[in-house]
Amino acid sequence: MTDRIGRRLVQLGFLLLFLYPFVPLVYRGLTYREAPVVLSWLLAWDPLLLIGRLPRLGQGALMVGAPLLLLALTLVGGRFFCGWICPLGTVLDLVRPLAFWQKSVRASRMGRLQRALTLPGGNSYLKYLLLLAGLALAVFSLKLIGLLDPLVLFHRVATGAYTNWFALRSPGFDLYVTTSLLIVAIVGLELWRPRFWCRHLCPQGALLGWLSRWTLLNRRVSGACTYCGRCRSACPMNAIPKEPHNTNYQECHFCLACEAACPEKAISFGWGGLAWAEWRARRRTKTETGRAAPAGGYVRAERGRLERILGLKVGRREAVGGAVTGVGALALWPLLRLTPNRRLLRPPGALPEEQFVATCILCQECMRVCPTRGLKPAFLEAGLRSLGTPYLVPRAGGCHLPRNCPNLCARACPVGAIQPIPAKEMRIGLAWVDRRACLAWDQGARCLVCVEACPTEAATPHQGRVTVNPLKCTGCGICEQVCPVVGSAIHVLPLGGA
């Protein structure tokens, strides 16, 4: 029990640590006082994101130490990250007690489709297909990894909560994209089956699980085991097969639930080489309770050639399914290019549109640190490929890079989709005046609000009317933000037109 309490404290500690960068922003939103901007350190440890970026990083990937360290620790300690550190896993563990009816749910018979997608251990290999599809598509785009990576997903949800519930300035569709219906589905599945996301769908868990087959941290069951089956019932990851002495280390995340559930105290955790061993019964003996239980010991497990290569116990059908998934993922991104789209006003320093859309992982870190909250997630304004990518909405807040913003969006971007640029080189759009709506043009009023607000003096008065000098305009959108006309009489268009 003490170990499980310690694990829960570690989980909550890491959860608060990952949420700390939001604290200064919440403080600033509640008190209207200046607060430092703290960049997120969660995505810097993301190994799935690192592997997906390999085609773009080249030799620079060798310098990314945090994800490589996590992969190395996984080889030693198995899927400890999933059970002790992952913030999404912690949220699911906190949600699980709400499903009070789960204890009375019995395993139902699997349908034909479920049997086709299930590994011999009982969990789905669909997560491995999603991992393969994400890594294959990463040659063209990091979009699928960004959508399904649990660390990015958690960060996107936290950013959405801050943007929508503290700022209260977001359009309706922002809530859909930022908080994501996916997290609602994940929580709903958790209320249906424990750790459903981790067992069947999580690509990060598939990557760490594949490496965990060499783990030196083991679960050991002594001869006191009576085969009561309580450890199997308590395991949320379905990592204990029919032989309770064995463990599927590709699924086990060392939550210690089996140790607490064992009435004989026969389960312990320690270091050793049991990852490639299995229990072999030799004779039947009687336990202290009078029940007959087979005695035996751990011997080296026999693995087939395909299992030794792939690290998974799969047949030809599963191998063919993996190949088809990889080819299908490669064809997905070019097909999305056929959808209609229009240009959006991207953050300053954004890569060229094609590269930007392919590189952005939808983490929304740039939106979180934006001092004016002018960056918003795109819905369908620019087609499916741009779904969730950041763009500047000047009416909500103009870009302050020409004034005093120290390239926060570029510094926060974990994948380099936004590069830092000098303020004098910023040029993301061009402002134009709607003369039919402008008070100075249409009504002859002396309104020079945009002229006074323009940081580059691009908006100038001419005979009492506002004009824009295209050689000086950077497209920051501050003029559009401060315009007193409903809906604004001055608008910023991206370079090249809308």
Side-chain angles (χ1 to χ4, degrees):
M1 180 62 69
T2 304
D3 294 340
R4 297 190 69 188
I5 294 176
R7 170 179 173 262
R8 186 53 53 86
L9 292 177
V10 170
Q11 283 184 296
L12 293 175
F14 275 105
L15 180 63
L16 295 176
L17 184 67
F18 294 140
L19 289 175
Y20 172 73
F22 291 88
V23 174
L25 299 179
V26 174
Y27 173 80
R28 185 177 64 185
L30 294 177
T31 64
Y32 298 98
R33 296 179 180 178
E34 288 297 324
V37 176
V38 181
L39 302 182
S40 173
W41 44 61
L42 173 63
L43 301 181
W45 288 85
D46 196 327
L48 179 59
L49 194 56
L50 170 66
I51 296 177
R53 294 177 61 200
L54 284 179
R56 294 170 172 80
L57 287 178
Q59 294 181 352
L62 299 179
M63 303 301 295
V64 184
L68 294 179
L69 176 61
L70 179 55
L71 293 177
L73 292 176
T74 301
L75 292 173
V76 178
R79 289 183 63 178
F80 75 96
F81 181 86
C82 302
W84 291 71
I85 300 177
C86 177
L88 184 56
T90 301
V91 172
L92 295 181
D93 284 346
L94 295 176
V95 168
R96 189 183 309 152
L98 300 178
F100 56 87
W101 61 87
Q102 278 188 357
K103 296 182 179 180
S104 62
V105 175
R106 296 182 178 180
S108 58
R109 296 184 60 184
M110 294 187 296
R112 181 178 301 178
L113 178 60
Q114 188 175 0
R115 287 196 301 269
L117 293 175
T118 302
L119 290 167
N123 291 344
S124 172
Y125 66 84
L126 184 59
K127 60 177 177 287
Y128 293 98
L129 295 181
L130 292 176
L131 172 64
L132 179 60
L135 295 180
L137 186 60
V139 176
F140 299 107
S141 169
L142 296 174
K143 195 74 64 184
L144 185 58
I145 291 180
L147 283 173
L148 299 179
D149 188 321
L151 303 186
V152 179
L153 178 62
F154 173 82
H155 191 277
R156 186 161 59 241
V157 171
T159 301
Y162 164 73
T163 302
N164 291 283
W165 298 336
F166 286 97
L168 299 177
R169 295 172 57 185
S170 300
F173 280 134
D174 287 7
L175 186 63
Y176 166 79
V177 179
T178 53
T179 58
S180 176
L181 291 178
L182 182 58
I183 190 64
V184 177
I186 291 174
V187 172
L189 291 172
E190 177 67 21
L191 296 176
W192 179 50
R193 290 289 187 272
R195 288 280 185 154
F196 187 96
W197 162 259
C198 307
R199 291 169 50 190
H200 302 291
L201 299 173
C202 180
Q204 187 84 265
L207 173 63
L208 299 180
W210 187 80
L211 293 174
S212 297
R213 54 192 176 132
W214 292 293
T215 177
L216 298 178
L217 180 59
N218 305 141
R219 170 182 170 270
R220 186 179 294 271
V221 182
S222 69
C225 174
T226 61
Y227 288 77
C228 65
R230 294 185 182 180
C231 57
R232 294 183 61 201
S233 301
C235 180
M237 290 295 292
N238 195 26
I240 303 176
K242 292 182 179 180
E243 172 53 68
H245 291 81
N246 295 332
T247 305
N248 183 354
Y249 289 103
Q250 291 177 290
E251 303 294 341
C252 178
H253 61 212
F254 303 103
C255 66
L256 309 180
C258 57
E259 182 183 33
C262 181
E264 306 296 332
K265 307 300 180 184
I267 299 176
S268 61
F269 291 85
W271 303 100
L274 297 183
W276 285 78
E278 63 183 6
W279 179 269
R280 182 167 297 176
R282 297 191 182 95
R283 64 185 184 278
R284 300 184 69 84
T285 59
K286 286 189 177 181
T287 63
E288 296 179 358
T289 58
R291 296 183 58 181
Y298 288 99
V299 298
R300 184 173 178 82
E302 297 180 358
R303 314 285 185 184
R305 179 180 300 178
L306 187 61
E307 185 178 358
R308 290 197 301 269
I309 296 175
L310 299 179
L312 298 172
K313 187 179 293 185
V314 297
R316 294 181 178 178
R317 180 174 58 184
E318 290 81 4
V320 172
V324 172
T325 300
V327 174
L330 291 175
L332 178 62
W333 185 249
L335 290 177
L336 290 179
R337 299 182 64 178
L338 301 178
T339 58
N341 60 79
R342 66 180 181 88
R343 298 183 64 86
L344 297 176
L345 201 63
R346 296 300 185 184
L351 297 175
E353 184 66 14
E354 289 294 327
Q355 298 180 36
F356 178 78
V357 173
T359 306
C360 177
I361 59 170
L362 317 180
C363 67
Q364 301 183 2
E365 175 71 350
C366 57
M367 305 178 201
R368 183 183 70 86
V369 301
C370 180
T372 66
R373 302 190 184 99
L375 291 180
K376 304 296 180 183
F379 186 57
L380 295 176
E381 296 89 346
L384 289 175
R385 288 195 307 154
S386 296
L387 182 68
T389 57
Y391 75 109
L392 183 64
V393 181
R395 195 59 173 168
C399 178
H400 277 200
L401 181 60
R403 286 183 171 176
N404 53 14
C405 179
N407 277 286
L408 286 177
C409 54
R411 290 167 51 194
C413 182
V415 293
I418 306 174
Q419 298 291 326
I421 59 172
K424 62 181 180 180
E425 296 182 7
M426 172 181 168
R427 188 172 174 81
I428 60 176
L430 181 64
W432 67 278
V433 180
D434 184 357
R435 299 181 180 181
R436 295 175 298 178
C438 179
L439 298 179
W441 280 91
D442 181 57
Q443 301 179 19
R446 292 191 175 184
C447 178
L448 299 177
V449 174
C450 56
V451 174
E452 297 171 351
C454 181
T456 61
E457 299 181 351
T460 57
H462 179 68
Q463 297 181 355
R465 296 176 178 178
V466 179
T467 60
V468 177
N469 185 345
L471 299 179
K472 292 184 177 181
C473 181
T474 63
C476 67
I478 296 177
C479 56
E480 182 174 345
Q481 177 186 0
V482 300
C483 180
V485 177
V486 176
S488 183
I490 185 169
H491 304 277
V492 179
L493 297 180
L495 295 179

